[in-house]
Amino acid sequence: MKSFSSRRAQAIVVAIAAGSLALTGCSENKGTNTGDNAKKDQQQASVQSKAVTYADAAGSTGPAPEIPGAQSGGTITVYQEAGLSHLDPGQTYVSDAGQVANLLFRRLTQFQEDDKGNVSVVGDLATDAGKMSDGGKTWTFTLKDGIKDAKGNAITSADVRHTVERQYAKFIFDGPTYLQTWLSGAQYRKALPGGGFDGKHLPKSVLDTPDAKTVVFHFDQPRTDLPQTLAMAGYAIVPAKDDTKAKYDTAPVATGPYKIDSYKLGKSLVLSKNPNWDPKTDSVRHQYVDGFNFDFGVTESTQTKRLIADRGNDKNAIQLTGGVEATQIQDVIKNPAVSKRTVKGYQPYVMQLTFNMDRVKDLKVRQAITYAVNSKSLIAGEGGVYGGDVAPNYFAPTLPGYEPKYDPYGRLKTPQGNIAKAQELMKGVPAAEKKVVFAYPNSENGQKRKVAIEDALTKVGFNVVSKEVDSASFYEQIGKLKNPYDMYITGWGQDWPSPSTVVTPIYDGDQVADGAPNYAHVKDPQVDALIKKALNQKPEDAAKTWKEAEHYLLEKVVPAAPLWYTKQFQLSGSNVGGTRYGSVSSLLDINHLYLKKS
């Protein structure tokens, strides 16, 4: 999953992918938290690596449990620095759009989280989390009664089929690809180039809808993670009759508790109650407030100042995926009245400096940069101990198989970077290869990261040419195979607790394509072979293979320099109730909110 400022979050985690999350903290506390606090935080993060349970029909029946003290009415203001990456569910793989999707769209399944952080998969549009047969190769879902979209049209199995098949169309390029590749292979677009819009469909042996209420998936191998996959925002339902293809990204039809009243790209988004949403069919969501007003273009520093002051409408405001701005963290934590309005937690993202290996071809150059980068400085810009911990490898503490002491580049001992080692590696490297083009988003955090990268690499003798990229389309721009950049900071987190959702999406050679998350363009036969091996093993055997793949990538390929593990530290207004850290979103749980006074 992509993190936004960081790309999509889940603590399951879900999201995956691409822009949304940036972590912030305090410049006064510039520690990198590599001691006892980091160990404690990582132990807490391990909760997110627990296996997810699948609910039956009883656990999938609405309404959702009432939140103690919750009231109805009022409008929540939502602050965000960058505009949304997408609104089309099929394009959603970034945490900003994922948060909004929780309010707007329903899927076949959905993640449900209790107050202790335990996560299960429940039936959302389906009556349960799915019924498995044929050893996991076949999955059957039955739709609940009375499900309608915001226009009052009934949702049927035809809409589910359409939602799956439209993912094969070329205009869908930025969402998850698990389901499509599982059904039709790595070259899935060739199986249905028209995306179902031309009247051609996937065969019944792959996807069957025998009646209006039944959907059956057939795979060539067991897919026991399917309920978690279908719970991703990227697989939310798109009603067939209202699909406008590429234009759908700006005016999608809601199926969740809220619908879109108005959307001004990069400026504002206004949501109001969807009168056709039936709480009796939804075991996860609520409809306490009358609506949400999203205000884009508000920097994290401005967000933080407003929320600390807590005046007027700011009492009803939250941060979407941003956090407390680094230089103001001390102002928050030293004020008990303000500090109690925060939520914080470990995220699943590993922030790394990713190399475009089509341009940075010399392994020594990639290794030198990996030694040189200054994690300490970067984390200070994110808020020190409140923003993250030093990352010595590619697996986050939230991921099964995480090895806290696996540190081939000595990142834990030299978080400020090993300039001498980097200079040694660069001896004899031609001057032309010392010029590197670094892409960064035009946000406050992006500016801080730019300074830290330039400072570290300049000490080694690199000529860093920094190029500013629009934050909202950052992952779209670096996701182009022919992008003009040598390196960029990206963040990726597990889509559910399995290394398969990290190694496969970002290092599989089949993911070297426009819009695919293999941003380093890794196409290595040994990596592909290890991925294939792990995907066909039992979990306990696969765990060893995933570690082998990670070690090979980090030591022999070096597609990216690991930088830091992210944390979230968010603030909300004093009138916002139900605030809690959501391990599924790795953010403020937007499904759990109400206003104390409307």
Side-chain angles (χ1 to χ4, degrees):
M1 140 196 14
K2 309 167 186 177
S3 137
F4 180 69
S5 126
S6 320
R7 201 181 182 196
R8 164 192 161 198
Q10 170 194 326
I12 243 184
V13 172
V14 192
I16 347 352
S20 271
L21 295 176
L23 316 177
T24 44
C26 95
S27 60
E28 293 179 29
N29 187 345
K30 293 183 181 292
T32 53
N33 202 20
T34 56
D36 292 340
N37 288 339
K39 292 178 181 178
K40 181 179 179 181
D41 286 346
Q42 291 180 13
Q43 287 172 353
Q44 293 173 344
S46 67
V47 172
Q48 298 175 209
S49 69
K50 291 193 302 184
V52 174
T53 58
Y54 295 166
D56 57 13
S60 304
T61 301
E66 288 293 326
I67 298 171
Q71 302 181 47
S72 297
T75 299
I76 290 179
T77 297
V78 185
Y79 291 130
Q80 179 76 342
E81 183 167 355
L84 295 176
S85 49
H86 293 287
L87 274 178
D88 184 331
Q91 302 275 51
T92 299
Y93 210 177
V94 180
S95 51
D96 60 346
Q99 280 285 74
V100 178
N102 284 325
L103 301 173
L104 291 174
F105 308 122
R106 299 182 69 176
R107 312 71 142 150
L108 277 176
T109 60
Q110 176 61 288
F111 292 104
Q112 184 179 65
E113 181 177 354
D114 65 20
D115 288 333
K116 296 181 180 179
N118 296 309
V119 177
S120 60
V121 175
V122 300
D124 190 1
L125 294 178
T127 56
D128 54 28
K131 290 183 171 59
M132 182 179 71
S133 58
D134 191 21
K137 293 182 180 180
T138 299
W139 283 86
T140 302
F141 297 87
T142 302
L143 300 184
K144 294 176 180 176
D145 295 327
I147 303 287
K148 297 180 180 180
D149 65 23
K151 295 186 176 182
N153 299 315
I155 298 296
T156 71
S157 61
D159 295 305
V160 179
R161 172 182 284 279
H162 174 73
T163 298
V164 175
E165 292 181 338
R166 74 191 297 270
Q167 300 271 7
Y168 289 64
K170 288 185 177 181
F171 72 87
I172 299 293
F173 58 86
D174 209 21
T177 61
Y178 294 109
L179 183 58
Q180 306 92 292
T181 55
W182 290 355
L183 290 171
S184 304
Q187 304 301 317
Y188 65 89
R189 293 191 194 275
K190 294 180 181 179
L192 196 70
F197 291 96
D198 56 2
K200 297 179 180 179
H201 300 288
L202 293 172
K204 292 183 179 180
S205 59
V206 173
L207 175 60
D208 192 13
T209 51
D211 57 55
K213 300 291 290 292
T214 307
V215 179
V216 185
F217 295 96
H218 297 284
F219 303 102
D220 61 358
Q221 66 184 76
R223 296 296 181 184
T224 56
D225 288 340
L226 182 65
Q228 298 182 75
T229 308
L230 294 175
M232 297 173 68
Y235 294 118
I237 299 302
V238 175
K241 64 180 63 177
D242 292 308
D243 195 344
T244 52
K245 298 184 179 181
K247 295 180 181 179
Y248 197 75
D249 212 6
T250 57
V253 177
T255 52
Y258 295 91
K259 62 182 179 65
I260 297 172
D261 280 356
S262 67
Y263 180 41
K264 295 181 181 179
L265 192 66
K267 295 182 179 180
S268 65
L269 173 67
V270 178
L271 307 184
S272 65
K273 286 185 176 181
N274 172 9
N276 289 298
W277 173 78
D278 184 354
K280 294 179 182 179
T281 69
D282 199 325
S283 64
V284 177
R285 303 171 187 83
H286 300 279
Q287 200 184 49
Y288 290 128
V289 299
D290 295 330
F292 292 80
N293 289 345
F294 292 76
D295 190 357
F296 303 112
V298 183
T299 63
E300 285 193 338
S301 57
T302 300
Q303 294 175 30
T304 306
K305 288 176 183 176
R306 290 180 180 178
L307 291 169
I308 289 175
D310 197 43
R311 300 190 185 99
N313 195 49
D314 290 324
K315 292 182 178 180
N316 300 334
I318 63 171
Q319 296 180 297
L320 184 64
T321 62
V324 177
E325 192 267 330
T327 63
Q328 298 177 70
I329 279 192
Q330 291 298 322
D331 296 331
V332 172
I333 63 176
K334 290 181 178 179
N335 186 329
V338 177
S339 182
K340 71 179 183 180
R341 295 191 273 117
T342 62
V343 297
K344 57 181 180 293
Y346 228 110
Q347 296 185 311
Y349 301 109
V350 179
M351 301 304 296
Q352 50 195 40
L353 181 62
T354 298
F355 303 112
N356 180 342
M357 292 176 60
D358 289 336
R359 293 169 59 98
V360 187
K361 298 180 179 180
D362 192 330
L363 176 61
K364 283 189 176 181
V365 173
R366 300 197 298 272
Q367 290 174 325
I369 293 175
T370 300
Y371 275 109
V373 286
N374 189 333
S375 291
K376 184 175 182 179
S377 176
L378 286 161
I379 294 171
E382 304 296 314
V385 298
Y386 296 93
D389 292 332
V390 176
N393 55 62
Y394 295 150
F395 283 4
T398 59
L399 192 69
Y402 167 64
E403 299 174 278
K405 296 182 180 179
Y406 175 51
D407 185 16
Y409 293 91
R411 178 74 70 231
L412 296 175
K413 291 183 178 179
T414 56
Q416 74 279 8
N418 188 335
I419 300 302
K421 181 66 175 179
Q423 290 174 332
E424 179 184 334
L425 283 166
M426 290 300 291
K427 289 180 180 178
V429 173
E433 294 185 32
K434 295 180 180 179
K435 180 180 178 180
V436 288
V437 180
F438 172 63
Y440 68 97
N442 61 344
S443 63
E444 288 184 327
N445 276 359
Q447 291 286 347
K448 294 175 186 176
R449 296 170 186 179
K450 164 184 173 290
V451 172
I453 293 298
E454 288 177 342
D455 179 67
L457 299 192
T458 299
K459 292 177 181 177
V460 182
F462 283 98
N463 173 19
V464 183
V465 179
S466 298
K467 298 288 186 179
E468 187 177 89
V469 178
D470 173 63
S471 291
S473 63
F474 179 74
Y475 278 96
E476 182 178 336
Q477 297 305 315
I478 66 171
K480 295 178 180 179
L481 276 182
K482 298 298 181 181
N483 76 68
Y485 314 117
D486 294 316
M487 55 188 187
Y488 17 76
I489 291 179
T490 64
W492 190 270
Q494 68 219 49
D495 288 307
W496 56 85
S498 170
S500 67
T501 67
V502 173
V503 180
T504 306
I506 56 178
Y507 299 124
D508 190 334
D510 288 329
Q511 293 293 326
V512 179
D514 282 333
N518 187 337
Y519 301 113
H521 308 161
V522 177
K523 207 158 191 173
D524 187 286
Q526 186 163 337
V527 174
D528 292 343
L530 288 169
I531 289 173
K532 184 176 181 180
K533 178 182 177 182
L535 291 175
N536 287 280
Q537 289 178 307
K538 295 179 180 179
E540 57 270 23
D541 296 324
K544 299 176 183 177
T545 307
W546 290 124
K547 286 183 181 180
E548 184 182 349
E550 182 206 16
H551 287 212
Y552 175 78
L553 280 159
L554 187 51
E555 297 170 30
K556 304 297 183 182
V557 182
V558 197
L563 300 173
W564 75 94
Y565 301 133
T566 66
K567 298 178 183 178
Q568 188 56 289
F569 189 56
Q570 292 184 293
L571 182 62
S572 57
S574 62
N575 195 40
V576 181
T579 56
R580 71 176 186 181
Y581 183 76
S583 67
V584 170
S585 65
S586 297
L587 296 161
L588 182 72
D589 188 345
I590 205 164
N591 290 330
H592 207 251
L593 304 178
Y594 64 90
L595 292 179
K596 300 171 186 176
K597 296 179 181 180
S598 60

